[in-house]
Amino acid sequence: MAKDRKTVFFCQNCGYESAKWQGQCPGCREWNTFVEEVVSSAAAKKRATAGFAGPPAAASKLSQIQMRQDSRVKTGYKELDRVLGGGIVKGSLVLVGGDPGIGKSTLLLQVCRNLSAGGRKVLYISGEESLQQIKMRADRIGEFQNDMLLLCETDLDLIRDAIEREKPEAVVIDSIQTVYREEVSSAPGSVSQVREATGAFMQIAKGMGITVFLVGHVTKEGVVAGPRVLEHMVDTVLYFEGDRYASYRILRGVKNRFGSTNEIGVFEMQESGLREVANPSEYMLSGKPEGASGSVVACAMEGTRPILVEVQALVCRTNFGIPRRTAVGTDINRVNLLMAVLEKRLGLSLGDCDAYVNIAGGIRMNEPAMDLAVVLAVLSSKKEFSLGERTVAFGEVGLSGEIRGVSMAKQRVLEAKKLGFTRCILPKVSLDGLSDVTGMKLLGIATVRDLLSLDGNRHAG
Ligand code: TYD
Ligand code: MG
């Protein structure tokens, strides 16, 4: 008995494994996160080989490996396909993480609907909701042309049996935290259970050529609950994020063995499920005030995709000794830094001013190319002028007040042009290579001092 039952301590935050209990985790430096879990030696042995299904094969020559042409399956959502790198890959294991209630189950159910409409056999396994609840959700998101299979089960062995029996092309596990294996005696959702289950699904995916989607809940620290161990075991990690109060959702690729990361897909949550937002810039700019001071449109990149967002700033006299600075949707330290640059390089007195900077629409943007728009918004609010309707800005601002070049200037300019903008303020160095852009007034600037001579519409006040 003692021989095949061994206990190990796992950090519940990062999955660090230790033979004895420790107060602080050496992996993630969190305190009091170690929990004792029983691992049978059989399970441990299995884990060591998890992910390598079948007998060991002879090594192959790279040049002799045939590419399969039909390996990508379209999900019916361009936004999702882009994040996946062009569609789902047969036999891949995809983790979809996100806060509870963000729409993971809805998204995957809609994907199941599209796949089954295309004549593919899909199996949706839920450990969180009853068949009736899933049926209700399915009714909300609209008609299912073809039937799909549903199963409410949490026992890993029964799930594996069902998959082997039904042999579907795609399986959704909602969620990985509810799946447990009897032999592993720790609670469902603990590190060893989740790791065990993920290993088993890896074998199912690779061994049977089934695409497996795993839903994973995210803890308040922003990692998929418990385990980063999960992230390295799967092929693709997608995070579904968004403001609870804004209706748009962003699907972000964090890891992808079959495509580029840093791609995003934008969805909007509606009454009848998730809808793709093909043109996020238009969506982000809807409701933008006309001719207001402190409002500047920036062009940021999300992966290979330009997105226009509105940066708002409100600068007003402080009523207390220490000015308040707040940033929503961007980094407060960056805002402080940019305001310091304005004070030092332009002699602008901001020391007695409160400043509030906000990226409208609830989106988060931390790209350095947003700097110029933040600087312009602060300047415009402080000096009470508006930049004019059809102006967009991007560029990085350095500590000496220089405006530095950013990548993919052309894509940004073209996106702005597409949405009807006619003037673009950008780094002077980025002007090379833009000579063939027509219908857009390009204002290349070298330092923040050049901003003072911009012809804005000065307000009376
Ligand atoms: P859900 O997919 O259950 O989230 P998760 O699986 O990530 O926990 O999404 C739940 C939220 O989405 C819930 O607050 C209701 C909302 N919703 C809609 O607004 N419209 C819809 O058609 C559906 C199905 C859900
Ligand atoms: Mg759910």
Side-chain angles (χ1 to χ4, degrees):
M1 188 69 190
K3 270 209 176 123
D4 66 328
R5 279 177 76 83
K6 179 181 154 217
T7 67
V8 174
F9 293 84
F10 285 109
C11 168
Q12 297 294 308
N13 188 45
C14 70
Y16 190 93
E17 193 174 323
S18 164
K20 59 183 194 331
W21 187 85
Q22 300 188 47
Q24 187 185 25
C25 171
C28 64
R29 306 249 150 244
E30 284 291 314
W31 290 91
N32 287 331
T33 51
F34 276 95
V35 170
E36 184 174 22
E37 292 179 7
V38 182
V39 286
S40 64
S41 55
K45 236 182 255 145
K46 222 171 173 176
R47 186 183 313 127
T49 56
F52 299 95
S60 314
K61 283 192 178 138
L62 180 63
S63 57
Q64 286 168 0
I65 298 170
Q66 303 281 323
M67 280 287 284
R68 271 179 302 176
Q69 286 305 315
D70 60 340
S71 46
R72 299 265 179 184
V73 177
K74 297 276 181 257
T75 60
Y77 291 111
K78 285 209 184 69
E79 298 291 306
L80 176 58
D81 287 342
R82 168 162 353 94
V83 181
L84 287 169
I88 30 185
V89 176
K90 198 170 168 233
S92 64
L93 190 59
V94 182
L95 173 68
V96 181
D99 291 330
I102 204 81
K104 302 179 294 295
S105 307
T106 309
L107 177 71
L108 290 175
L109 196 61
Q110 286 180 240
V111 169
C112 286
R113 179 187 60 179
N114 290 355
L115 291 177
S116 66
R120 296 176 194 279
K121 190 168 180 181
V122 290
L123 174 59
Y124 186 100
I125 301 171
S126 178
E128 300 196 331
E129 291 164 306
S130 68
L131 291 175
Q132 272 75 22
Q133 279 174 306
I134 301 171
K135 171 78 177 156
M136 264 163 58
R137 190 202 307 271
D139 285 343
R140 279 181 82 175
I141 65 176
E143 197 116 329
F144 276 63
Q145 284 171 16
N146 280 326
D147 249 348
M148 56 173 277
L149 298 166
L150 290 178
L151 174 69
C152 290
E153 187 51 70
T154 53
D155 186 326
L156 181 58
D157 295 323
L158 296 180
I159 289 175
R160 194 206 308 259
D161 288 347
I163 295 173
E164 275 165 6
R165 200 168 50 241
E166 300 290 352
K167 296 196 174 52
E169 281 180 63
V171 175
V172 174
I173 308 292
D174 188 2
S175 66
I176 186 71
Q177 275 97 1
T178 60
V179 177
Y180 74 96
R181 181 171 213 181
E182 204 115 28
E183 287 93 272
V184 183
S185 61
S186 52
S190 63
V191 173
S192 28
Q193 286 285 10
V194 168
R195 181 145 56 175
E196 185 75 23
T198 308
F201 289 122
M202 186 61 145
Q203 282 177 328
I204 290 172
K206 304 290 166 207
M208 299 171 67
I210 296 174
T211 306
V212 180
F213 290 94
L214 304 176
V215 172
H217 292 296
V218 164
T219 59
K220 60 181 189 305
E221 289 83 23
V223 291
V224 172
R228 288 197 198 114
V229 282
L230 251 178
E231 292 192 358
H232 81 253
M233 293 175 83
V234 301
D235 295 316
T236 305
V237 181
L238 308 180
Y239 277 102
F240 209 29
E241 54 191 48
D243 195 14
R244 216 163 229 286
Y245 307 102
S247 59
Y248 79 88
R249 303 278 186 268
I250 289 182
L251 191 66
R252 201 182 287 278
V254 178
K255 164 183 176 180
N256 195 348
R257 286 186 182 150
F258 310 112
S260 100
T261 52
N262 292 326
E263 289 292 352
I264 65 159
V266 184
F267 292 86
E268 187 185 355
M269 182 62 94
Q270 293 185 332
E271 273 301 294
S272 56
L274 289 159
R275 191 185 63 84
E276 303 180 83
V277 178
N279 195 338
S281 298
E282 212 166 283
Y283 185 74
M284 290 298 158
L285 293 182
S286 63
K288 188 176 94 67
E290 307 273 296
S293 66
S295 157
V296 174
V297 176
C299 192
M301 298 297 293
E302 279 283 5
T304 55
R305 199 170 185 203
I307 291 191
L308 300 187
V309 290
E310 185 195 347
V311 179
Q312 300 178 320
L314 188 68
V315 179
C316 51
R317 257 185 62 85
T318 180
N319 287 321
F320 304 102
I322 303 165
R324 262 181 78 102
R325 304 271 163 94
T326 310
V328 179
T330 186
D331 182 12
I332 179 71
N333 295 322
R334 193 81 197 163
V335 171
N336 280 330
L337 182 150
L338 293 172
M339 290 181 69
V341 170
L342 283 181
E343 283 209 45
K344 181 85 178 166
R345 305 292 166 199
L346 294 187
L348 208 62
S349 92
L350 294 166
D352 57 349
C353 292
D354 288 346
Y356 305 91
V357 174
N358 176 34
I359 312 279
I363 194 169
R364 266 204 83 78
M365 288 277 173
N366 283 329
E367 213 206 341
M370 300 279 292
D371 289 357
L372 188 53
V374 172
V375 162
L376 271 168
V378 168
L379 204 59
S380 141
S381 177
K382 170 77 180 165
K383 300 206 156 215
E384 283 292 333
F385 68 91
S386 97
L387 269 183
E389 296 308 290
R390 305 262 141 238
T391 304
V392 52
F394 63 85
E396 182 180 345
V397 177
L399 287 186
S400 335
E402 81 278 20
I403 313 290
R404 312 173 73 102
V406 295
S407 60
M408 295 191 258
K410 190 161 184 181
Q411 277 99 317
R412 299 179 203 250
V413 171
L414 292 180
E415 171 78 3
K417 188 181 162 192
K418 204 166 81 191
L419 286 169
F421 287 83
T422 52
R423 192 167 74 140
C424 181
I425 305 171
L426 72 168
K428 199 164 209 162
V429 289
S430 298
L431 280 178
D432 321 340
L434 292 176
S435 50
D436 52 341
V437 177
T438 55
M440 195 78 172
K441 195 171 159 207
L442 299 175
L443 280 178
I445 56 169
T447 78
V448 285
R449 235 163 282 123
D450 300 346
L451 296 175
L452 291 177
S453 54
L454 281 182
D455 51 339
N457 308 327
R458 205 155 289 271
H459 283 203

